[in-house]
Amino acid sequence: MLPVTPTVDFAGTLALLLAVGGGVALGTVSGLVPGLHANTFALLLAATASALPGPRLYVGVAMLAAGVTHTFLDVVPALALGVPDPAMAAGALPSHRLVIEGRGREALRLSALGSGLAVAFAAPLAVPLTMAMEALYPLLQRWLSVVLLGIAALLVVTERGLRRKVGACCSLAASGLLGIALLDAPVSGPLPVSDVLVPLFSGLFGAPVLLAALEGAGVPAQADAAVTTPPRTVLALAGVGTLCGGAVGYLPGVSSAVAATLALGLVADGGPRAFVVTTSGVNTATAVFALFALIALGTPRTGVLVALDRAAVPLVLPALLAAVVVAAAAGAVLVPVLGDRYLRTVGRLDPRWLSLSVVCLLVCLSALFAGLLGVGAFGAATAVGHLPPRFGSRRAALMGVLLVPLAL
């Protein structure tokens, strides 16, 4: 029998790599612009897929690469924007505490490590986990409301102290009412796709942090980029983030924010560095597990995968998984390279002017994607988004905007 020489489609491989490169560029833009999400570009690509050259698989690869890259780069504005006054450091987000201490560059690298390791852990782990979920999914569908309500209850009971528990309940209820009122509302804006989640998420999670930082001192000078956390600890923290991402990556309405809450319960004593590694790992791992959920269960779990489904992209796992790996490698490099420059640039700007400018940008994005109703939704969501810090509770309770409507 004659040996068979494998053939390589160089033109097809090059086209796929170019599509991945385009997706990485889109994910970089969405990651660095506060309030803009990879879902936005993915939905735009889905709306114009029929007019784009090349097979639909290339469009899907670009969408997925954008989504994965975004999960790496979105830590950059999260670190650089909304930094409070040093006197308020005790009540600041853990990542902001590192910036106030001058360790923002280290935080960037810890985040890149957490996300990169999550991809390395999640890719092989997704196979047995998906097989288990295929067997359990019929049972899960029957009891989905109970599961989602249980997760909502967990967000409350894991808070420390009565005041924080009350705050979590109020945040869940208020954001849940927002979701019930607006998720199915007919919205339209100037763009070819409409998305009410842009104003809702920008108001719930973005604007309150920016408004609270109006009197902040901005980004101070940052020290060296040396990572002080031992490698074994980083590996363990990324592993925790990956496992928690896998625990919720197959459930509708349960985002990486909820998974991060579960993870932080396991690393609560690790300090702000543990927070950065773990939450970054959760964010990226959830995106990987959601891809396997779409292929095995036919149910898209993220906005990017909803767009992938709408565009009728063929679910060719080797190509899609390769896009994830290449985008993750690019994202891991881009985080420190672009993040250091981002921190320096923001540090030179007036924090009050910067915060107000970003809030105005979020209002404009809300109008673009959901019209006047989107602007109203942004205002209402911003008011609700102030509830958790008032009570000292975690912002993850605001995910009631998805959990409550899906559970009812």
Side-chain angles (χ1 to χ4, degrees):
M1 186 174 180
L2 294 175
V4 177
T5 303
T7 59
V8 179
D9 182 2
F10 289 105
T13 303
L14 179 60
L16 280 173
L17 288 174
L18 289 173
V20 172
V24 168
L26 292 176
T28 300
V29 172
S30 67
L32 296 179
V33 177
L36 196 60
H37 198 273
N39 295 356
T40 304
F41 286 131
L43 291 168
L44 285 171
L45 285 173
T48 57
S50 59
L52 295 173
R56 292 291 176 93
L57 178 61
Y58 296 172
V59 177
V61 161
M63 291 178 184
L64 198 57
V68 171
T69 305
H70 181 99
T71 67
F72 278 78
L73 271 296
D74 62 357
V75 70
V76 177
L79 284 170
L81 302 175
V83 178
D85 189 90
M88 301 297 293
L93 296 174
S95 54
H96 283 157
R97 292 205 291 271
L98 287 174
V99 175
I100 292 170
E101 295 169 7
R103 302 306 304 173
R105 297 179 67 202
E106 179 188 3
L108 289 169
R109 284 148 182 83
L110 285 171
S111 176
L113 286 169
S115 289
L117 288 169
V119 173
F121 294 155
L125 182 62
V127 176
L129 192 55
T130 302
M131 293 173 65
M133 284 303 301
E134 282 185 294
L136 293 172
Y137 194 65
L139 180 64
L140 181 63
Q141 279 185 307
R142 288 198 297 271
W143 293 95
L144 182 60
S145 294
V146 175
V147 172
L148 295 179
L149 289 173
I151 291 172
L154 192 63
L155 291 174
V156 175
V157 299
T158 53
E159 292 283 1
R160 296 180 180 177
L162 179 60
R163 179 180 174 82
R164 292 183 177 183
K165 285 181 170 63
V166 171
C169 284
C170 293
S171 301
L172 270 168
S175 60
L177 288 174
L178 268 182
I180 292 169
L182 293 171
L183 284 183
D184 294 326
V187 296
S188 62
L191 296 179
V193 293
S194 300
D195 186 7
V196 75
L197 288 179
V198 171
L200 285 177
F201 275 51
S202 297
L204 289 171
F205 298 100
V209 176
L210 293 165
L211 293 174
L214 282 176
E215 302 301 327
V219 176
Q222 299 297 300
D224 63 81
V227 174
T228 58
T229 305
R232 287 186 179 180
T233 303
V234 173
L235 283 168
L237 292 170
V240 170
T242 303
L243 291 172
C244 290
V248 303
Y250 299 85
L251 298 175
V254 183
S255 71
S256 56
V258 177
T261 299
L262 302 178
L264 292 177
L266 302 174
V267 298
D269 299 326
R273 288 170 176 80
F275 172 90
V276 171
V277 176
T278 306
T279 53
S280 297
V282 165
N283 197 19
T284 303
T286 303
V288 176
F289 289 119
L291 171 63
F292 280 82
L294 174 63
I295 291 174
L297 306 175
T299 53
R301 298 292 186 230
T302 67
V304 170
L305 296 180
V306 167
L308 204 77
D309 193 47
R310 286 184 188 176
V313 172
L315 301 178
V316 182
L317 182 59
L320 296 175
L321 199 54
V324 169
V325 173
V326 174
V333 173
L334 289 169
V335 167
V337 171
L338 298 180
D340 287 352
R341 291 168 173 78
Y342 203 101
L343 284 172
R344 284 199 301 270
T345 302
V346 170
R348 299 189 188 106
L349 301 175
D350 177 72
R352 185 180 182 86
W353 175 88
L354 182 62
S355 294
L356 288 174
S357 299
V358 176
V359 170
C360 290
L361 173 63
L362 297 180
V363 173
C364 293
L365 288 172
S366 299
L368 283 173
F369 284 95
L372 289 176
L373 182 59
V375 176
F378 173 80
T382 299
V384 173
H386 279 89
L387 285 174
R390 289 269 180 170
F391 290 88
S393 53
R394 293 184 297 256
R395 295 181 188 274
L398 296 171
M399 285 309 301
V401 71
L402 296 181
L403 283 173
V404 173
L406 284 170
L408 297 179

